[in-house]
Amino acid sequence: MIGLWDTTGNEVVKALAAERRSAGGVASGLALTLIAVVDEKRVREAEAAATIAASAHPCRLLIVVRSDVESQRSRLDAEIVVGGRLGPAEAAVLRMYGRLALHAESVVMPLLAPDVPVVSWWHSEPPEQIANDFLGVVADRRITDSAQAPDPVAALKQRAKDYAPGDTDLTWTRITLWRTLVASAFDTTSEQVTGAIIVAPELDPTAALMGGWLSARLGITPVFEPTTEHPRMRSVELQCANGDCIKVTRDENTALFSRTGQADREMPLVRRPVGDELAEELRRLDPDQVYSSALGALAGLPHLESRPAHRVHVWKDPALAR
């Protein structure tokens, strides 16, 4: 590891190149550049998640920490790690202070790996408008996490208003196993679904997005039953035209799959670490049209996939917003 304190972007580029040469084969075969935007107190969480993701997708990892925007003096501190504690990744942890933090792209752009896609991931409350952050505008794919907002459901609806093809949210990734279990019910039936009931806490974003997915795919309007007894989405029930009922009920790390006329089955439904969720999203770098349909149905904004895929940077000075 190389530590650079009160340095410049040019020195970071040189240090990264030197570490790549000394690491040899460890630094070869990069699949993408991953830009992680994170608060100082969550740097270790982001590093742990990125390490898991990098084991499946070797990448250049740039962790951008906007430490003290209000500092009177701009400063850049950096840590360079290649093939070390962060796995098969070329990593730079960039702590920016003062006005430099508002122009992070000036440091990040020269560090992007050549000829590979760029993914930006906010391991913090998602931005209201991605176009206000150049690190989102420059990316081919953008990953937010609405669950970290004070009102996660409202944050998801904002993601729909601000959507551009290539956007995704880890809330969507968290219902992959739910969607797999529900979709498996149709392997042996062609009955029309006429209704759905989702039991979940009132502000559970996974339940809201599950409702959007069911609405987009089945053309129904799910009924939400709020619960305070469970911290996460508890169950999804589908009602069929012939009177059959299909229900998936979570219990810790398993799910009970029940269906009219059939024996109940227990299926795995584990909570995955953020690193596994991130790795799943990095498997595809093209727009996720199923996600956009679900998000649009949730927010009442159809045809999100037809929007322009690229944003134009809109500068916003936080100091003027007070």
Side-chain angles (χ1 to χ4, degrees):
M1 185 190 84
I2 297 178
L4 302 171
W5 315 118
D6 198 4
T7 187
T8 64
N10 189 42
E11 291 301 316
V12 175
V13 173
K14 291 179 180 178
L16 183 58
E19 280 293 277
R20 293 184 75 242
R21 286 193 296 270
S22 63
V26 176
S28 64
L30 299 180
L32 54 93
T33 296
L34 176 61
I35 304 172
V37 183
V38 60
D39 298 329
E40 178 65 55
K41 62 184 179 181
R42 308 193 70 181
V43 170
R44 295 308 175 202
E45 291 179 19
E47 288 183 348
T51 301
I52 295 173
S55 65
H57 310 278
C59 62
R60 179 169 293 178
L61 171 64
L62 306 176
I63 298 180
V64 176
V65 188
R66 294 175 170 128
S67 292
D68 186 3
V69 176
E70 298 181 355
S71 174
Q72 297 300 311
R73 178 173 174 269
S74 293
R75 194 179 92 228
L76 170 65
D77 295 340
E79 297 176 55
I80 310 298
V81 182
V82 177
R85 58 186 170 85
L86 298 181
E90 302 177 0
V93 182
L94 309 168
R95 290 179 169 86
M96 303 180 189
Y97 304 83
R99 300 293 294 182
L100 176 63
L102 302 179
H103 300 277
E105 68 275 5
S106 64
V107 177
V108 170
M109 291 296 288
L111 293 171
L112 300 181
D115 304 320
V116 294
V118 177
V119 180
S120 289
W121 164 48
W122 288 265
H123 187 53
S124 58
E125 183 177 345
E128 183 177 356
Q129 290 188 329
I130 289 178
N132 290 147
D133 191 340
F134 192 87
L135 299 182
V137 175
V138 74
D140 300 285
R141 192 143 169 81
R142 298 156 294 274
I143 304 173
T144 53
D145 190 352
S146 295
Q148 299 194 35
D151 186 337
V153 176
L156 269 180
K157 293 179 179 178
Q158 177 58 33
R159 297 273 55 80
K161 294 177 183 177
D162 189 48
Y163 180 83
D167 293 0
T168 192
D169 196 276
L170 291 182
T171 298
W172 176 246
T173 323
R174 291 183 186 114
I175 61 171
T176 296
L177 296 179
W178 278 97
R179 289 184 286 119
T180 301
L181 290 175
V182 171
S184 68
F186 298 94
D187 291 342
T188 57
T189 185
S190 58
E191 285 296 328
Q192 180 182 1
V193 176
T194 57
I197 300 174
I198 299 175
V199 178
E202 189 172 0
L203 295 180
D204 186 344
T206 59
L209 203 48
M210 172 63 77
W213 178 65
L214 293 174
S215 178
R217 307 306 291 179
L218 300 175
I220 61 175
T221 302
V223 175
F224 290 90
E225 292 186 357
T227 177
T228 57
E229 298 179 3
H230 306 281
R232 299 178 298 278
M233 182 163 55
R234 172 64 171 172
S235 66
V236 176
E237 179 180 329
L238 303 181
Q239 299 151 346
C240 301
N242 66 348
D244 284 358
C245 176
I246 301 167
K247 189 173 184 179
V248 178
T249 305
R250 164 181 268 163
D251 184 13
E252 294 299 331
N253 290 324
T254 62
L256 183 66
F257 184 93
S258 58
R259 181 172 181 168
T260 303
Q262 296 185 9
D264 293 348
R265 290 179 290 163
E266 276 200 357
M267 311 286 284
L269 189 59
V270 298
R271 287 197 71 189
R272 298 179 294 170
V274 175
D276 284 348
E277 297 167 351
L278 182 62
E280 179 182 325
E281 286 300 333
L282 296 180
R283 290 191 195 114
R284 61 175 304 161
L285 297 175
D286 58 320
D288 189 340
Q289 295 183 346
V290 179
Y291 165 69
S292 65
S293 298
L295 186 64
L298 161 65
L301 298 172
H303 310 302
L304 296 184
E305 69 282 353
S306 64
R307 293 183 179 180
H310 300 287
R311 292 180 170 88
V312 176
H313 183 220
V314 179
W315 166 248
K316 179 182 180 182
D317 190 336
L320 301 179
R322 296 192 181 94

